[in-house]
């Protein structure tokens, strides 16, 4: 493997990669040529991500694996599913998208993750973790009769394997035993003794055609070689138990092979080419290094998981705090005041701003891995025993724990605070990561408090308010930075359900803001002389202020960074209906369609939420 000290700033010379447009172009390459191809692909990936920004570390770790899989399997006829898809950039480059890779995550460019609408080589759309095995199993079952020669492969990371869904799928796979290959891309271990020596030796034996022949002959006939078969199987079981950590997968009904070196092209080629012909579900454990081939990325796997453009890497970071930092500061301060506070996150320590908390209060910090359902019910258990749990979770990931939210927290009216990061349109990660639906799916749940702060200081106030509230409560805030409002350090709260007047106008038209688009609402309200009210809460609504202003108004306009259907504006319409208020309304929010990846401002415009678009709609209405 060629090692790079830094990200190239100029386009590299890649003569072999230039000959490759699709996998068929390199399937006849020798191992030495494939090694050259992997070096060129790694350098090109470094350069392209340096130009575009995006996910880097995972892709660097699967360069060799991507090449071997596309070399040995007849993709796109054979189906290859990448779990999550952070690591799929090399796959995209090798499957006809090399010249477009610099457009990744940009408006109109390549999707940030595999997408079935983008390429026939993308077998399944991904973005959230731990879905690959379930999807692959469905494909394999559907193809079993109609196209029995079709092969099916899933690549799943060690992080994604922490989710219960992955093990549910493994259990079902072991039960029905289709011909599939599941590859565990384990980049949380260094390549050490258990990948060399005896382990490699037995891995090659278990994946060898000779051994396969012994097993097949023993399982197909009573004779010949029944003793050889039983002896081989007994030795295999005993040796796997000694040198390989695969017992759990064997117990689930899969044939475990590994671990092997995921950067050794020759070994990958040898083992996987033999596993192709094995009957039943195969589980291959591959050890890789996240960020492999780039020294700084190997040293800082978290920092190089995803990067900005190469220019921005070298610039000093902005001193303006992101919303996740606002939360991080608040929870440390709150924990110092309240010994019962416990922080929980499903594998989002850095992204949620919990690094400092985890250091200061390690006994009160729980990263439960990619296990959103568990995180919520775990919080419920803490709450019922008298603790004050705060679940730091992205809005889009709370969707995965909806039943637990209702059944385990809300029905019992338990004191759990949900800090919903990445609410609304998130930008370059696209629709799989946009938190558009939390207002709609939380608003219908009894006992739920829903806070929609408009800026940094309001976020701190609402977090304290939600935490002090005795019951289920959520505070939603967006990705990135806000309007840079001055933050009051004291742990003050506000009266639940109390809105605030931002701008009182002479005209009898009312604008109601819910959340982080207040800066847009202010531009519009001043331009059109509208009374602007920052509602602060979706549930409960400030009924007193709504009765005061809406009973005599001609029209109300709501604005929110969330789904129009079932959203905050809909809540106001329901309130008007219940109270006999006949009034025109314009609900400005995210329309009933998925907004594709772009910058956050571009996504807002695509949703019709720019100041000019909103003003145009209001003028047409009034």
């Amino acid at each position: 493997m060629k090692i790079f000290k830094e990200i190239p700033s100029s386009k590299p010379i890649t003569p072999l990669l230039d000959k490759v447009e699709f996998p068929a172009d390199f399937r006849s390459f020798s191992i030495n040529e494939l090694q050259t191809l992997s070096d060129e692909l790694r350098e090109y990936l470094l350069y392209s991500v340096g130009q575009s920004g995006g996910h880097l570390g995972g892709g660097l770790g699967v360069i060799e694996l991507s090449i071997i899989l596309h070399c040995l399997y007849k993709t796109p006829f054979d189906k290859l599913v990448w779990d999550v898809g952070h690591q799929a950039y090399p796959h995209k480059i090798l499957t006809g998208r090399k010249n477009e890779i610099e457009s990744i995550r940009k408006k109109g460019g390549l999707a940030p993750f595999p997408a079935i609408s983008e390429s026939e080589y993308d077998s399944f759309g991904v973005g959230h973790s731990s879905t690959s095995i379930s999807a692959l199993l469905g494909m394999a079952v559907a193809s079993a009769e109609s196209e029995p020669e079709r092969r099916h492969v899933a690549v799943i990371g060690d992080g994604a394997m922490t989710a219960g869904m992955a093990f549910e799928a493994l259990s079902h796979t072991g039960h029905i035993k289709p011909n599939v290959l599941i590859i565990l891309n384990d980049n949380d271990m260094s390549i050490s003794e258990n990948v060399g020596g005896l382990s490699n030796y037995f891995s090659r034996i278990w994946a060898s055609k000779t051994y396969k022949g012994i097993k097949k002959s023993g399982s197909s006939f009573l004779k010949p070689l029944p003793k050889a078969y039983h002896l081989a199987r007994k030795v295999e079981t005993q040796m796997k138990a000694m040198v390989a950590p695969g017992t759990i997968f064997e117990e689930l009904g899969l044939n475990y092979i590994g671990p092997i070196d995921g950067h050794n092209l020759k070994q990958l080629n040898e083992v996987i080419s033999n596993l192709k012909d094995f009957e039943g579900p195969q589980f291959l454990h591959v050890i890789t290094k996240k960020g492999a081939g780039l020294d700084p990325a190997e040293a800082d796997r978290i920092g190089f998981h995803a990067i900005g453009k190469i220019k921005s890497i070298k610039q000093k970071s902005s001193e303006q705090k992101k919303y996740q930092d606002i939360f991080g500061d608040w929870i440390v301060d709150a924990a110092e005041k309240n010994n019962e506070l416990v922080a929980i996150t499903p594998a989002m320590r850095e992204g949620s701003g919990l690094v400092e908390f985890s250091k200061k209060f390690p006994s009160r910090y729980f990263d439960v891995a990619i296990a959103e359902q568990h995180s919520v019910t775990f919080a419920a258990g803490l709450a019922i025993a008298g603790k004050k749990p705060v679940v730091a979770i992205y809005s889009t990931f709370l969707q995965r724990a909806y039943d637990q939210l209702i059944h385990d927290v809300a029905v019992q009216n338990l004191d759990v605070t949900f800090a919903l990061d990445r609410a609304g349109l998130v930008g370059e990660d696209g629709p799989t990561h946009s938190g558009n639906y939390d207002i709609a799916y939380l608003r219908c749940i009894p006992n739920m408090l829903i806070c929609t702060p408009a800026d940094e200081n309001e976020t701190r106030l609402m977090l304290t308010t939600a935490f002090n509230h005795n019951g289920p409560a959520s505070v939603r805030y967006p990705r990135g930075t806000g309007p840079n409002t001055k933050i009051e350090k004291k742990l003050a709260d506000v009266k639940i359900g109390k809105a605030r007047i931002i701008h009182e106008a002479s005209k009898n038209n009312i604008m109601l803001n819910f959340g982080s688009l207040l800066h847009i609402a202010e531009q519009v309200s001043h331009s059109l002389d509208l009374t602007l009210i920052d509602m602060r809460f979706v549930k409960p609504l400030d009924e007193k202020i709504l009765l005061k202003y809406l009973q005599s108004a001609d029209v109300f306009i709501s604005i929110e960074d969330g789904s129009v259907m079932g959203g905050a504006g809909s809540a106001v319409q329901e309130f008007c209906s219940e109270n006999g208020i006949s009034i025109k309304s314009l609900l400005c929010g995210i329309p009933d369609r998925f907004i594709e990846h772009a910058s956050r401002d571009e996504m807002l415009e695509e949703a019709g939420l720019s100041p000019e678009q909103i003003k145009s709609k209001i003028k047409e209405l009034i």
Side-chain angles (χ1 to χ4, degrees):
M1 182 198 305
K2 188 175 180 180
I3 304 297
F4 298 88
K5 299 295 183 183
E6 59 183 14
I7 296 174
S9 57
S10 58
K11 191 171 184 178
I13 298 172
T14 55
L16 202 57
L17 181 60
D18 292 344
K19 296 178 182 178
V20 171
E21 185 173 5
F22 295 103
D25 297 327
F26 61 86
R27 286 185 181 136
S28 61
F29 282 12
S30 67
I31 285 293
N32 288 338
E33 288 174 314
L34 291 177
Q35 185 61 63
T36 301
L37 179 64
S38 71
D39 290 338
E40 291 184 9
L41 177 55
R42 180 167 275 108
E43 187 172 9
Y44 187 79
L45 177 67
L46 287 168
Y47 165 76
S48 63
V49 178
Q51 298 301 305
S52 66
H55 294 102
L56 180 64
L60 290 173
V62 295
I63 294 284
E64 292 81 6
L65 183 61
S66 301
I67 288 173
I68 289 299
L69 288 174
H70 280 297
C71 190
L72 294 177
Y73 289 88
K74 296 177 182 177
T75 54
F77 175 77
D78 291 336
K79 299 303 178 185
L80 172 59
V81 180
W82 298 93
D83 206 282
V84 183
H86 290 148
Q87 74 279 46
Y89 289 22
H91 158 81
K92 293 197 178 209
I93 293 170
L94 294 171
T95 54
R97 290 166 278 183
K98 174 177 177 282
N99 296 327
E100 300 173 85
I101 197 69
E102 289 180 39
S103 73
I104 201 162
R105 304 171 85 237
K106 298 176 184 175
K107 185 176 183 180
L110 294 182
F113 309 104
I116 58 173
S117 60
E118 185 176 284
S119 171
E120 61 180 337
Y121 287 89
D122 292 356
S123 300
F124 194 75
V126 293
H128 292 184
S129 85
S130 317
T131 61
S132 60
I133 304 173
S134 298
L136 192 81
L137 186 59
M139 294 178 194
V141 168
S143 299
E145 292 186 8
S146 59
E147 292 171 302
E149 70 278 15
R150 173 170 279 161
R151 306 290 184 174
H152 297 82
V153 183
V155 181
I156 183 169
D158 54 288
M161 278 298 298
T162 63
M165 182 177 179
F167 280 90
E168 291 170 11
L170 284 175
S171 178
H172 192 201
T173 301
H175 176 66
I176 63 176
K177 299 193 180 305
N179 294 334
V180 298
L181 172 61
I182 298 163
I183 298 175
L184 172 60
N185 174 30
D186 186 347
N187 56 35
D188 199 36
M189 300 168 59
S190 61
I191 296 173
S192 55
E193 290 82 1
N194 63 334
V195 183
L198 277 177
S199 179
N200 274 346
Y201 174 68
F202 286 115
S203 292
R204 287 195 294 272
I205 288 178
W206 297 325
S208 70
K209 289 181 179 177
T210 302
Y211 184 76
K212 174 178 177 287
I214 293 173
K215 289 182 72 175
K216 188 174 182 180
S217 63
S219 59
S220 301
F221 310 100
L222 290 175
K223 293 180 181 181
L225 299 178
K227 291 182 179 179
Y229 166 73
H230 291 300
L231 177 62
R233 186 61 182 162
K234 185 175 181 180
V235 170
E236 173 189 7
T237 302
Q238 291 175 345
M239 295 309 295
K240 282 182 178 180
M242 285 197 298
V243 302
T247 305
I248 185 172
F249 304 110
E250 292 276 338
E251 292 298 324
L252 288 170
L254 292 87
N255 181 40
Y256 173 90
I257 304 294
I260 67 171
D261 182 352
H263 299 297
N264 187 321
L265 276 166
K266 185 177 180 181
Q267 189 177 106
L268 285 171
N269 183 66
E270 179 185 343
V271 172
I272 295 175
S273 63
N274 288 333
L275 287 177
K276 280 179 62 183
D277 298 324
F278 275 39
E279 296 292 321
Q282 310 299 315
F283 190 96
L284 176 62
H285 186 171
V286 171
I287 305 296
T288 63
K289 289 183 180 179
K290 195 169 185 178
L294 177 64
D295 277 349
E298 288 190 28
D300 182 9
R301 294 181 301 169
I302 294 172
F304 280 83
H305 168 69
I307 63 170
K309 295 180 182 180
I310 193 167
K311 297 177 197 172
S312 63
I313 298 172
K314 296 175 181 177
Q315 292 171 348
K316 290 183 178 179
S317 59
S318 169
E319 291 190 10
Q320 185 178 344
K321 286 183 179 292
K322 297 178 180 179
Y323 278 100
Q324 67 196 54
D325 302 323
I326 306 300
F327 168 74
D329 292 343
W330 169 82
I331 198 167
V332 167
D333 293 344
E336 288 173 347
K337 297 284 187 182
N338 191 318
N339 292 329
E340 303 305 318
L341 187 154
V342 177
I344 305 162
T345 184
M348 285 289 133
R349 183 182 71 156
E350 287 76 20
S352 293
L354 283 170
V355 173
E356 189 65 22
F357 183 95
S358 68
K359 294 175 181 176
K360 287 192 172 184
F361 306 99
S363 65
R364 294 156 62 184
Y365 166 76
F366 296 92
D367 183 339
V368 300
I370 301 174
E372 294 87 357
Q373 292 174 302
H374 166 64
S375 72
V376 173
T377 304
F378 176 55
L382 287 165
I384 213 162
K387 296 296 182 182
K388 293 274 290 182
V390 177
V391 180
I393 188 169
Y394 291 5
S395 167
T396 184
F397 295 152
L398 185 59
Q399 295 164 185
R400 309 184 80 177
Y402 194 55
D403 181 61
Q404 288 70 26
L405 180 63
I406 297 171
H407 182 272
D408 300 331
V409 176
V411 167
Q412 302 183 92
N413 199 26
L414 295 179
D415 191 6
V416 179
T417 301
F418 295 91
L420 300 188
D421 200 341
R422 271 63 166 180
L425 295 165
V426 298
E428 292 82 359
D429 282 339
T432 60
H433 283 59
S434 287
N436 301 352
Y437 309 109
D438 55 87
I439 291 176
Y441 70 66
L442 293 176
R443 192 167 71 79
C444 60
I445 302 175
N447 296 328
M448 200 76 204
L449 174 68
I450 305 174
C451 310
T452 55
D455 56 40
E456 297 93 334
N457 191 58
E458 283 286 302
T459 298
R460 187 175 173 93
L461 284 170
M462 292 295 172
L463 286 166
T464 304
T465 303
F467 183 74
N468 291 343
H469 171 68
N470 186 21
S474 67
V475 183
R476 74 185 312 261
Y477 45 91
R479 180 185 187 181
T481 57
N484 207 19
T485 305
K486 183 181 178 182
I487 301 167
E488 300 292 337
K489 291 296 292 179
K490 62 182 179 179
L491 289 171
D493 57 10
V494 300
K495 184 177 179 182
I496 289 176
K498 180 68 175 174
R500 56 177 182 154
I501 305 295
I502 303 297
H503 172 66
E504 191 111 35
S506 57
K507 292 184 179 178
N508 206 21
N509 300 311
I510 312 299
M511 176 168 263
L512 306 173
N513 176 73
F514 293 89
S516 63
L517 300 183
L518 179 62
H519 62 293
I520 292 176
E522 287 181 306
Q523 292 180 50
V524 174
S525 65
H526 282 289
S527 175
L528 300 180
D529 196 25
L530 308 175
T531 293
L532 175 59
I533 304 172
D534 180 26
M535 292 299 294
R536 282 180 158 174
F537 299 88
V538 176
K539 189 174 185 180
L541 292 168
D542 188 336
E543 297 187 358
K544 186 179 290 186
I545 208 167
L546 291 178
L547 286 170
K548 176 181 177 182
Y549 282 89
L550 297 188
Q551 281 182 325
S552 58
D554 298 321
V555 62
F556 84 80
I557 302 99
S558 65
I559 179 169
E560 59 190 295
D561 188 6
S563 170
V564 167
M565 297 187 72
S570 296
V572 178
Q573 285 183 329
E574 291 167 14
F575 172 82
C576 291
S577 177
E578 291 168 2
N579 288 275
I581 300 173
S582 180
I583 186 172
K584 288 182 181 180
S585 60
L586 173 64
L587 310 187
C588 299
I590 300 169
D592 186 28
R593 57 187 172 86
F594 294 111
I595 308 296
E596 293 300 327
H597 59 281
S599 70
R600 176 168 159 82
D601 287 342
E602 287 172 330
M603 291 182 87
L604 287 171
E605 186 165 358
E606 184 69 22
L609 290 172
S610 71
E612 293 305 318
Q613 289 170 310
I614 294 172
K615 282 191 277 187
S616 177
K617 292 174 187 176
I618 294 172
K619 288 175 181 177
E620 185 178 339
L621 179 67
I622 64 177

